[in-house]
Amino acid sequence: MPSPIDYSAAGTVFNMQRYSIHDGPGIRTIVFLKGCPLSCLWCCNPESQNPKPEVMYQASLCIHCGKCIKACKFGAIDPQNAGLLDHTKCVACGECVNVCPAGALTMKGQRLTVEQVIQELKRDEINYRRSGGGITLSGGEPLLQSGFAVELLKACHAKGWHTAIETTAYASAEAIETVFPFIDLALLDIKSLNNEIHRKVTGVSNEIILKNAKRISELTETVVRVPTIPGVNASPEGISAICEFVLTLHRVKTVHLLPYHTYGENKYDLLGREYLMDANVSLSAEDAEQLKQIVESYGLNCVIGG
Ligand code: SF4
Ligand code: SF4
């Protein structure tokens, strides 16, 4: 008998994106969970990395009214430069966001219960049913909040909705074993087989990831996704090494090559952080096509984008 669903379980969510058609079958809602053990240089969602809620400041919207300075009881806002946050002092109480009349301050991340997320997802219930869609957990790394993820996924399955996850696979064995029985499709990121490069560009070793990838592919239908990054893996050698690894996984037949972009660059500024990736680096359509041919030469299906 399936265990009861804990609708009061709470997690930290930083976005819910409706009408997605790229992250699993049909029409989907992507639920972005906050917190990631990796810090990839090219990350387009840097607000996902910190597991706690945090404030983003958009200087172009600020009208310099000074209300945020008065509202902050923690001295986290520079009195000489309204809106500019000292993230080491900020406790994410949200007072400055509440008083800002210009929308220059936004809170990224809020605690939501399974019940609250399900209520939001229900708005698209008809679309899920008609298109065979459902929910995709993303992040950050959703497996960091495995307890919340399991209850949410159980609730989605109880409604008959398809479930998918975008994951780095950097997680405990326990998280893998508890979450994946409730996942219909895993979209599994592999960045590099070269551990030295992997550590340099993500901040962590790839050993746990490669080990977990094998187990995930045994538990769930899996598609491997590769963010194609020049200087990291977007080379014949880099992609070939990944393909050879994919062939060792259980019944994985498809690889998505995700073209490198710099869409998240301005968010680093809004968070008071530095964008360390070279913004001038790019991958041409011809280069992407060449990498696709390499993937296909291994007998794997390949989609650019995915
Ligand atoms: S969220 Fe709270 S602690 Fe942080 S800057 Fe705003 S008022 Fe200050
Ligand atoms: S409250 Fe908003 S608009 Fe006013 S100074 Fe602060 S950030 Fe700028």
Side-chain angles (χ1 to χ4, degrees):
M1 194 172 140
S3 58
I5 300 162
D6 180 2
Y7 284 92
S8 67
T12 305
V13 177
F14 74 91
N15 193 12
M16 282 196 248
Q17 186 180 309
R18 300 169 69 194
Y19 307 119
S20 169
I21 52 166
H22 297 295
D23 301 287
I27 297 170
R28 319 188 64 80
T29 301
I30 310 178
V31 179
F32 292 89
L33 304 190
K34 212 158 167 353
C36 187
L38 279 66
S39 46
C40 303
L41 294 182
W42 57 87
C43 180
C44 61
N45 287 325
E47 74 275 34
S48 72
Q49 293 174 356
N50 182 341
K52 295 182 185 155
E54 61 194 321
V55 177
M56 278 171 99
Y57 168 58
Q58 193 156 358
S60 60
L61 295 178
C62 178
I63 57 172
H64 305 284
C65 66
K67 289 187 177 173
C68 57
I69 299 169
K70 288 194 195 114
C72 183
K73 298 181 183 69
F74 300 89
I77 301 182
D78 183 348
Q80 308 305 322
N81 199 346
L84 200 63
L85 264 72
D86 180 341
H87 287 271
T88 61
K89 291 183 182 165
C90 176
V91 298
C93 68
E95 288 301 320
C96 58
V97 177
N98 294 339
V99 299
C100 177
L105 296 165
T106 46
M107 182 65 77
K108 291 294 165 188
Q110 62 179 136
R111 295 289 288 172
L112 293 177
T113 63
V114 169
E115 178 65 39
Q116 287 170 310
V117 176
I118 290 291
Q119 287 307 324
E120 176 65 19
L121 297 174
K122 271 187 183 168
R123 296 167 69 193
D124 291 308
E125 194 164 19
I126 292 175
N127 291 330
Y128 303 156
R129 204 163 291 139
R130 285 186 182 154
S131 69
I135 172 184
T136 300
L137 289 185
S138 184
E141 172 47 68
L143 296 172
L144 266 193
Q145 301 189 53
S146 58
F148 172 65
V150 164
E151 299 306 322
L152 179 56
L153 293 163
K154 278 173 15 189
C156 291
H157 269 184
K159 294 206 155 290
W161 302 339
H162 183 275
T163 60
I165 189 168
E166 287 184 311
T167 180
T168 66
Y170 195 95
S172 67
E174 188 191 353
I176 302 288
E177 296 299 328
T178 52
V179 169
F180 280 90
F182 303 100
I183 295 283
D184 300 315
L185 174 67
L187 302 167
L188 168 66
D189 257 31
I190 300 289
K191 275 100 176 176
S192 177
L193 266 286
N194 181 318
N195 205 10
E196 196 182 324
I197 291 177
H198 199 278
R199 276 183 195 277
K200 198 166 140 201
V201 298
T202 71
V204 301
S205 161
N206 64 10
E207 284 169 22
I208 293 174
I209 291 169
L210 301 181
K211 183 168 168 240
N212 283 342
K214 294 202 175 180
R215 184 63 183 139
I216 289 170
S217 69
E218 287 165 4
L219 291 167
T220 307
E221 180 190 348
T222 300
V223 167
V224 166
R225 285 183 151 186
V226 183
T228 44
I229 316 291
V232 175
N233 59 17
S235 63
E237 305 75 43
I239 293 298
S240 295
I242 290 175
C243 290
E244 276 161 27
F245 174 72
V246 170
L247 293 180
T248 70
L249 299 176
H250 189 67
R251 289 183 302 171
V252 177
K253 293 274 172 268
T254 304
V255 172
H256 291 174
L257 298 179
L258 310 179
Y260 168 68
H261 60 73
T262 56
Y263 298 156
E265 186 185 355
N266 77 316
K267 293 189 197 169
Y268 287 79
D269 206 28
L270 306 185
L271 289 164
R273 289 172 51 186
E274 199 181 344
Y275 187 65
L276 296 171
M277 191 76 192
D278 180 355
N280 296 315
V281 165
S282 66
L283 188 76
S284 69
E286 294 75 35
D287 290 342
E289 190 54 39
Q290 192 199 359
L291 298 178
K292 180 173 186 262
Q293 285 172 16
I294 292 171
V295 175
E296 289 170 342
S297 74
Y298 283 86
L300 296 161
N301 304 315
C302 183
V303 177
I304 296 177

